[in-house]
Amino acid sequence: MTLRGTAARWDRALFDAVARHHWPGGERVLPRLGRAANHGVLWGGTALAIAAFGSAPARKAALRASASLALASATINTVGKWSVRRRRPLLDGVPAVRQLSRQPQTTSFPSGHSASAFAFATGLALHAPALGAAVAPVAASVAFSRVYTGVHYPSDVAAGAALGVVAGFAVRRIAQRMEGARAVPGDEPEAVDAPALPDGEGLVVVVNAGSGSAAEAGLDVLRERLPKAEVVECEGPELRRELTAAAGRAAVLGVCGGDGTVNAAATAALRAGLPLAVFPGGTLNHFALDLGLAGAEETCRAIAEGRAVKVGVGRFTPGPEPVAAPGPDPDLESGAAHAPARAAGADPAAGAGGGAPAGYFLNTFSIGAYPELLRHRLHWAPRIGGGPAMVLAAWRVLRTQRPVRLRLSGRPRSVWLLFAGNGTYHGTGPAPRRRDSLAEALLDVRLVHGGGRPGPRLIAAAFAGPLSRSPVHTATRLPHLRIDDVPPGTPLAYDGEYARAARSLVVDTVPHALTVYRLG
């Protein structure tokens, strides 16, 4: 008998042994526990409970555990189930009281329930060991229940559990790489006209008071190094009004906050023709890291010495009514699908569209799944908190999201996600990692095509390279992109902000538009 045949015989023998053995209380508990884990409901509820009642580190651990589960589940559904087409076990010998009322129709290898359970438990244990230890017995019981109820062989469960553990470690590694990223200056051209303010006189810094401890630390450095700078603290609806007012009286507009706050300040600075000083004070600070701004100390030195660079910005402008003739296909290698260029200095608010939102983006612009997720998160966050709102939003989007049907450069498209980055993003992990330069004057355009289910397609696209073409994912670089026939009410997101899209849009870049203080 071959090794494979021997393994299969032992696998069936162990399955039969479990079927014959009477486990006190098992008939009452294990089938119900397995059903509770269907579609990740058990783990989603656990994550919500931790996010609602746990500490900040516990909420962070729950988020990473959920990411581990998502990675394991997507891998199982996109690769695992279709690579090994193993039939489900025959239920001979399994007591009827244990059997599920509705038998699974997918292939048997590997066990998705086991992968999800062990991915969640591993992701939680790696970041919050005590919580992980509490969840581990439940995860093991869910995995065992799959053999106990007769829907999986033991080897299916073992393989799924192993894959879940790997997913937990993979997410930790990705998180460590993201957290360990260091700001590295790019090749942006020097701005020779930026004023030097040795004591900060003429600098007005608007601070998002809701940014937390990072912003407070930056303010301490600012007040010590640039004592004559004016500091305005505000949050919420007041923020944009204060930025506009500050731009009217400042020689240099400063901002302290996260990417959304920096976007609002950049828009005010561009419209007023002022240089911008960024004091990183948010959670992620993508723009600051990609530009090479490590912290408030370096920004203060750059202002005092008058050292700055010119960076490009992305722009979305409500366009005219759609034209009938199709243009070049954005999927083509030539990358020639672009609308007529607009004047580099034009204010996006001046575009057509009858008052529809227009603006700049320093990092990313998107239509589809991500704006919908952001919409749900903004709706629920004031009621249940940011962490639970994110989990609930992801669940809603994956269950109810439909592809967006629109026209790209005159050609009809159905997309789960349209992403445009201000410059080329690198990395093949769950999200684009960083850019080498903010002076590239190109859009990093990525499409996740409609069809199938959104979760597997989004995960598969996320792991594709930065420039790739497949039935799921297309990526290329373009100077401009024309979007027409956008369904009414379709949301768009830019730098973490949310708005409703106009019926027709032009997305492009404005090279060397913004002066930003930076050393080196």
Side-chain angles (χ1 to χ4, degrees), residues 198-274:
D199 55 9
E201 187 173 4
L203 169 67
V204 181
V205 181
V206 178
V207 181
N208 186 343
S211 295
S213 59
E216 289 298 325
L219 286 181
D220 291 341
V221 174
L222 169 64
R223 292 187 176 105
E224 179 182 350
R225 294 295 304 271
L226 303 174
K228 292 189 177 181
E230 179 185 350
V231 177
V232 179
E233 296 189 56
C234 58
E235 61 182 313
E238 299 178 1
L239 190 63
R240 292 184 184 274
R241 292 196 297 269
E242 290 295 343
L243 283 166
T244 301
R249 63 180 185 273
V252 173
L253 179 62
V255 61
C256 183
D259 285 308
T261 305
V262 173
N263 176 287
T267 300
L270 283 163
R271 290 174 174 168
L274 294 177

Side-chain angles (χ1 to χ4, degrees), residues 366-395:
S366 59
I367 289 175
Y370 177 72
E372 283 290 347
L373 185 147
L374 183 63
R375 179 173 70 87
H376 288 300
R377 184 180 68 82
L378 292 175
H379 175 74
W380 287 105
R383 307 176 189 183
I384 63 176
M390 179 61 76
V391 175
L392 179 60
W395 180 76

Side-chain angles (χ1 to χ4, degrees), residues 15 88-89 91 100 103-104 108 145-147 149-153 156:
F15 176 87
R88 298 277 176 173
L91 296 177
L100 302 182
Q103 294 297 317
S108 185
S145 75
R146 305 307 285 171
V147 179
T149 54
V151 295
H152 280 293
Y153 290 105
D156 301 338

Side-chain angles (χ1 to χ4, degrees), residues 295-320:
E297 180 70 30
E298 291 189 5
T299 302
C300 288
R301 283 182 54 201
I303 295 170
E305 298 172 16
R307 297 168 63 181
V309 294
K310 294 281 190 180
V311 303
V313 299
R315 176 175 55 181
F316 58 95
T317 309

